[in-house]
Every structure is written in structure tokens, then in C-alpha cells.
Amino acid sequence: QPADGGISVGAPLAAGTANDGAPVVDVYLDYLCTYCLQFEDTYTEYLDQAAESGEATVVYHPVALLDSSGDYSQLSGHGANAAATVAAEAPEHFLAAHAALVGLGHQVLDSQGSFMPTGEEIAAALAEAGVPQDVADRAGEAPYTEWVEATTTQFGRDGFRGTPTILIDGEELQNWPEPNALQDAVQAAS
């Protein structure tokens, strides 16, 4: 499982890979956070392309700040858990799984909370995104709850308060909602 809570993605577009010498973009997100989903909708294509071209290493940090279940069973916690499961067990499918979890977040927000995916529904969404069925099923069972708790706790310890928190080589990018803010910051760091 990812050590520090970060799931890094480099040119092979697989979890656990990195682009040596390239700027590091850390993305702290919660799959139930409206602004996180906005960030993803705006920048996913660019982040995938930046990782693939070697322009940046993208490190995803799914956290469960908005999970009020007490056992990380809502989409915040279970989604982070599923992301960790796929990163560890089917790393080449991580980005597809991440996109599927963002999609589930949109469904929850669009339903204004009347829909909250179960483990089975999360597993089905992952399988539909191309994650091997056995890994999708395991993700549905949430095997990485301790990891989710650790990364969520660490987020607060690091002094961060809200998601998304975007860092470029450790410097927080406050103006990400502005057009091309992320691209400009990555180019400046190169």
C-alpha cells in the first residue's frame, strides 16, 4: 500500500511510478468535496498528459475529511480505500479507478446526498472502468481502512485544513480556480 498516503503517477500512468527530476504536483482530495470534483473536471486531462509526457509527477492523496460515518464507510472513506486498493493491487488501473470514484462523487452530490454508494456499487463502478474484477471486489470490501485513517490524520497534522489542497514542489497553489493556474505553476517549477 502507498507509504505516506501519496499515490504517485509518472510516465507509465501507473500508481507507484514517478518522473525523475520533474516537478511534483500533490493533489489532496476528498471524493465527496464539491471543489475537489471541480478541480478534477478542470485539470484531470492536463494532469494525465503532464504525467505521461514527463512534465510532472502527480501524487494523489485521497483523504476522508467529509466522512461522517465514524468508520470510513461513506464515499470519502470508502473511495480513498478503493483508490489505495487499486493502487496497490492493480497499479496500471489506478487512474481509471480514480476517474470512476470522481464520477461517483458527482452522483452523490447531484443526488444531494440521497444516493451514497455501497461497497458493491463502488466495486461495480471500478469494474466498469476496467479494474480487474477480483481487485474491484476487494476494493468494495475496503481492506485499507487503517491507511485511510492514517492519511486523513496526517493531512491535519501537516497543517492543511480543506480540500482540494494542491502543492507544486511543496508550495501551495492557492489560485487553482483561475484558468491555466496549474499549468503555469508547473511550467514555472520546471
Side-chain angles (χ1 to χ4, degrees):
Q1 65 189 29
D4 65 346
I7 299 168
S8 67
V9 177
L13 294 184
T17 62
N19 293 322
D20 287 343
V24 175
V25 179
D26 286 289
V27 178
Y28 290 86
L29 76 146
D30 185 309
Y31 289 113
L32 271 184
C33 152
T34 309
Y35 294 111
C36 298
L37 301 180
Q38 246 171 30
F39 175 84
E40 289 295 321
D41 293 346
T42 306
Y43 289 116
T44 294
E45 202 175 313
Y46 166 70
L47 288 172
D48 291 354
Q49 172 257 308
E52 191 170 23
S53 68
E55 188 185 349
T57 295
V58 183
V59 185
Y60 292 94
H61 301 264
V63 293
L65 298 185
L66 299 175
D67 199 309
S68 57
S69 64
D71 61 1
Y72 298 112
S73 61
Q74 291 177 335
L75 184 60
S76 290
H78 203 138
N81 203 315
T85 307
V86 176
E89 299 180 23
E92 68 283 7
H93 294 285
F94 170 73
L95 287 176
H98 174 68
L101 293 164
V102 167
L104 285 173
H106 277 297
Q107 284 181 44
V108 172
L109 292 174
D110 292 346
S111 78
Q112 297 179 322
S114 64
F115 165 72
M116 185 62 70
T118 62
E120 290 77 24
E121 286 167 325
I122 289 171
L126 295 178
E128 199 176 305
V131 174
Q133 190 67 56
D134 60 326
V135 177
D137 288 343
R138 247 194 316 286
E141 292 159 13
Y144 289 99
T145 302
E146 284 175 21
W147 180 87
V148 174
E149 189 167 10
T151 58
T152 303
T153 304
Q154 191 59 49
F155 178 79
R157 274 200 201 122
D158 290 340
F160 303 132
R161 279 178 290 293
T163 51
T165 293
I166 314 302
L167 307 177
I168 293 156
D169 285 344
E171 293 292 308
E172 192 167 345
L173 180 70
Q174 302 278 5
N175 70 332
W176 66 263
E178 293 170 20
N180 293 317
L182 183 61
Q183 291 89 323
D184 295 346
V186 169
Q187 275 156 7
S190 297

